[in-house]
Amino acid sequence: MKKIETIVLVADLAGTAVFAAEGAISAMQGGLDLLGVMVLSFAVALGGGVIRDLLIGATPPNAVRDWRYPALAFLTGLLTFILHSEARTLPAPLLMAVDAAGLALFAVAGAQKAMSYGIGPFISTLMGTITGVGGGVVRDILLARVPMVLVADIYASAAFAGAVVLVVSRRFGLSPMAAALLGGAACFILRVAAVTYGWQLPKVTHW
Amino acid sequence: MKKIETIVLVADLAGTAVFAAEGAISAMQGGLDLLGVMVLSFAVALGGGVIRDLLIGATPPNAVRDWRYPALAFLTGLLTFILHSEARTLPAPLLMAVDAAGLALFAVAGAQKAMSYGIGPFISTLMGTITGVGGGVVRDILLARVPMVLVADIYASAAFAGAVVLVVSRRFGLSPMAAALLGGAACFILRVAAVTYGWQLPKVTHW
Amino acid sequence: MKKIETIVLVADLAGTAVFAAEGAISAMQGGLDLLGVMVLSFAVALGGGVIRDLLIGATPPNAVRDWRYPALAFLTGLLTFILHSEARTLPAPLLMAVDAAGLALFAVAGAQKAMSYGIGPFISTLMGTITGVGGGVVRDILLARVPMVLVADIYASAAFAGAVVLVVSRRFGLSPMAAALLGGAACFILRVAAVTYGWQLPKVTHW
């Protein structure tokens, strides 16, 4: 396996575990039963990657071709359900940082994979963004609420920024590993800073 | 046509008619007009199969390649609209049993088709589940409510169980027909029993 | 490039600009920030075409393969955001006519593209309809409301009628350009007339 594929695989699997746990937590917060916990673990963990793979023509998507993805999402969701008393006591800043890490992993893996499939640089940054936020959008659609990503302070923008840094770094000749680290760091730092300092995007206030 | 393809085709078409009628009824219950009735007939009848086909790389999906699928959904929806006075008087237990039959047909057809496309056994059971519940999820998303499958007593679990029985039976060397009957029966009986006896999955009560 | 491809391209790009502006306006009406405006511009402008391309097996979809589509949606959304004071003063009948034009463009382009991919005539009319209404459905799902197309007076029906006129005209040997003009005019006139005269589809009133 080429180095670049290993980076995408590791980032994808790590992001999958993080987002599966988050999906399980949202399901329990929403009062869903064990099946609902499983479904949301799957949807949040695999939704973004599946949408990316369908869009770039990488079918069947990884999550369907490779049993490790759904198995990992399944096990993480089950574990979070079993350990829910412990999960409940996790401090909010820790959860936020873990979520930002998952976002960074997916944004970088998504943009990198799109480039590997011959997608141009501009659209590869969009594919990275969709990979990062897609799972959360699917979760919010299933919970019948406006996707957090549409109303939240800088979230999709952080994924977009990370993907842009990765794509530009590759263009300037950086190695896949260096570009992935740089893009991931950009996304993570921007997201954490936005939450910490309450940064907002401009908005039209009175329509 | 091979025997296995005939089984998938017949199960798919029968499930399509059942789910199209259900879609039409939900649309009329929701106060939608004739167009809304048509759209929901299509979405509920074909949604699960389309999602499965996109995921396993069987594109264009059956519902797009083969005009009999949308025509059947269309005609069933129209017929339900015309005969709505009669449809309204159908007893709830009958509707539940018919729905369970549709679920069983789709779960079995979906898992079988995924296996035919070289998808591994674990993911084939997930594809069967998605085929069974996908249409209902699309319906609930279009009606802007939390998908029934996430909050209901054993429903997706019954589809999953039926798909597992089919996949395991095939592994143990049963013929496609015997495995389909066994899997379909497992799903149907589990679903009807769950409704009859009020079985529930475990849930975290206070988050 | 063949003449027929030019027609699809021009109709697709014109429809993209119209629907991106509409997406931006709905986002601002919903109180979303700049990112939300961008996301809805993309979703409304490109959603219908992406769904069509996935369904007919034209992957990667145009919107992913050709950077001009997302760039156009992006720029139109940004421009609408910047000029929001001006956008707000546009009279409702003008917006309705522009929307009907976008619907006509997408219905015609969608049906024509499906035919070019060897999809049969009946399903090509459905693909035209989905291309026309898909973006609006995605918008309403993201805003967590029942898709307008399900409850509105003749909207999807107008797209369907336009696609039918196009497909039938092609069957009767009309040139692609003549068929596109005829189909587009049918959709546009039907939609504008339905709003002007308050035409409604039949509905089951008391379920």
Side-chain angles (χ1 to χ4, degrees):
Chain A
M1 193 187 291
K2 282 182 296 180
K3 195 170 182 190
I4 197 165
E5 286 171 3
T6 314
I7 293 172
V8 170
L9 180 71
V10 170
D12 248 9
L13 286 175
T16 298
V18 165
F19 277 19
E22 290 192 17
I25 291 175
S26 348
M28 290 187 283
Q29 284 172 338
L32 302 181
D33 66 12
L34 179 55
L35 190 271
V37 169
M38 291 291 103
V39 171
L40 280 195
S41 299
F42 270 76
V44 178
L46 307 177
V50 165
I51 296 171
R52 172 202 62 204
D53 286 349
L54 290 179
L55 289 178
I56 65 174
T59 54
N62 260 345
V64 174
R65 200 176 348 207
D66 184 342
W67 63 270
R68 289 174 298 183
Y69 286 91
L72 179 62
F74 189 82
L75 285 178
T76 309
L78 193 61
L79 213 66
T80 311
F81 183 78
I82 293 170
L83 300 176
H84 64 89
S85 316
E86 284 73 23
R88 202 177 308 189
T89 62
L90 293 173
L94 177 65
L95 287 176
M96 187 274 288
V98 168
D99 176 67
L103 184 69
L105 288 162
F106 271 0
V108 161
Q112 180 59 62
K113 180 161 184 184
M115 289 178 83
S116 308
Y117 272 74
I119 305 293
F122 170 50
I123 293 179
S124 289
T125 62
L126 300 181
M127 293 299 113
T129 310
I130 286 175
T131 311
V133 307
V137 169
V138 172
R139 174 199 62 208
D140 292 335
I141 289 174
L142 289 178
L143 294 173
R145 59 193 195 198
V146 176
M148 194 206 71
V149 73
L150 285 181
V151 289
D153 29 305
I154 290 145
Y155 189 83
S157 316
F160 180 64
V164 167
V165 168
L166 174 106
V167 168
V168 171
S169 306
R170 293 299 312 278
R171 286 266 148 161
F172 277 97
L174 264 71
S175 74
M177 179 57 96
L181 285 175
L182 217 60
C187 172
F188 181 81
I189 291 171
L190 184 54
R191 171 67 187 148
V192 171
V195 174
T196 310
Y197 300 111
W199 292 345
Q200 303 276 346
L201 286 175
K203 185 191 280 204
V204 171
T205 40
H206 309 289
W207 182 265
Chain B
M1 194 188 291
K2 282 182 296 180
K3 196 172 182 188
I4 197 166
E5 286 171 1
T6 315
I7 294 173
V8 170
L9 180 70
V10 170
D12 248 10
L13 287 174
T16 297
V18 166
F19 277 20
E22 290 193 18
I25 291 175
S26 348
M28 290 185 284
Q29 284 171 340
L32 301 181
D33 66 12
L34 178 56
L35 189 272
V37 169
M38 291 291 104
V39 171
L40 278 195
S41 299
F42 269 77
V44 178
L46 307 177
V50 165
I51 295 171
R52 172 202 61 204
D53 286 348
L54 290 180
L55 289 178
I56 66 175
T59 52
N62 259 346
V64 174
R65 201 177 348 208
D66 184 341
W67 63 271
R68 288 174 299 182
Y69 285 91
L72 179 62
F74 189 82
L75 283 178
T76 310
L78 192 61
L79 213 64
T80 312
F81 183 79
I82 294 169
L83 300 175
H84 65 89
S85 317
E86 285 72 21
R88 203 178 307 192
T89 62
L90 294 173
L94 177 65
L95 287 177
M96 188 273 290
V98 168
D99 176 65
L103 185 69
L105 289 161
F106 271 181
V108 161
Q112 180 59 62
K113 180 160 185 186
M115 291 178 83
S116 308
Y117 270 75
I119 305 293
F122 170 50
I123 294 179
S124 289
T125 62
L126 300 181
M127 293 300 112
T129 311
I130 287 175
T131 310
V133 308
V137 170
V138 172
R139 173 200 62 209
D140 292 334
I141 288 174
L142 289 178
L143 294 173
R145 59 193 194 197
V146 176
M148 195 205 69
V149 74
L150 285 180
V151 289
D153 31 303
I154 292 145
Y155 189 83
S157 316
F160 180 64
V164 168
V165 168
L166 173 107
V167 169
V168 171
S169 306
R170 294 297 313 276
R171 285 266 148 160
F172 277 97
L174 265 71
S175 74
M177 179 57 97
L181 285 175
L182 218 59
C187 171
F188 181 79
I189 293 170
L190 184 53
R191 171 66 187 147
V192 171
V195 173
T196 309
Y197 300 110
W199 292 345
Q200 301 277 345
L201 286 175
K203 186 192 279 203
V204 171
T205 39
H206 308 291
W207 182 266
Chain C
M1 193 188 292
K2 281 183 298 180
K3 194 171 183 189
I4 196 167
E5 287 171 2
T6 314
I7 293 172
V8 170
L9 180 72
V10 170
D12 248 9
L13 287 174
T16 298
V18 166
F19 276 19
E22 290 192 19
I25 291 175
S26 347
M28 290 186 283
Q29 284 171 339
L32 302 181
D33 65 11
L34 178 55
L35 189 271
V37 169
M38 290 291 104
V39 171
L40 279 195
S41 299
F42 269 77
V44 178
L46 307 177
V50 165
I51 295 171
R52 172 201 62 204
D53 286 349
L54 290 179
L55 289 177
I56 66 175
T59 54
N62 259 346
V64 174
R65 201 178 345 211
D66 184 342
W67 63 270
R68 289 174 297 183
Y69 285 91
L72 179 62
F74 189 81
L75 284 177
T76 310
L78 192 62
L79 213 65
T80 312
F81 183 79
I82 293 170
L83 300 176
H84 64 90
S85 317
E86 284 73 22
R88 203 178 308 193
T89 61
L90 294 174
L94 176 66
L95 287 176
M96 188 274 287
V98 169
D99 176 65
L103 185 69
L105 288 162
F106 270 0
V108 161
Q112 180 58 62
K113 179 161 185 186
M115 291 179 84
S116 309
Y117 271 75
I119 305 293
F122 170 49
I123 294 180
S124 290
T125 61
L126 300 182
M127 293 300 113
T129 311
I130 287 175
T131 310
V133 307
V137 170
V138 172
R139 173 199 63 208
D140 291 335
I141 289 175
L142 289 178
L143 294 173
R145 57 193 195 199
V146 175
M148 194 204 70
V149 73
L150 285 181
V151 288
D153 30 305
I154 291 146
Y155 188 82
S157 316
F160 180 64
V164 167
V165 168
L166 173 105
V167 168
V168 171
S169 305
R170 293 298 312 278
R171 285 266 149 159
F172 277 97
L174 265 70
S175 74
M177 179 56 98
L181 285 175
L182 217 59
C187 172
F188 181 80
I189 292 169
L190 184 53
R191 172 65 188 148
V192 170
V195 174
T196 309
Y197 299 109
W199 291 347
Q200 301 277 344
L201 286 176
K203 185 191 282 204
V204 172
T205 39
H206 308 290
W207 182 266

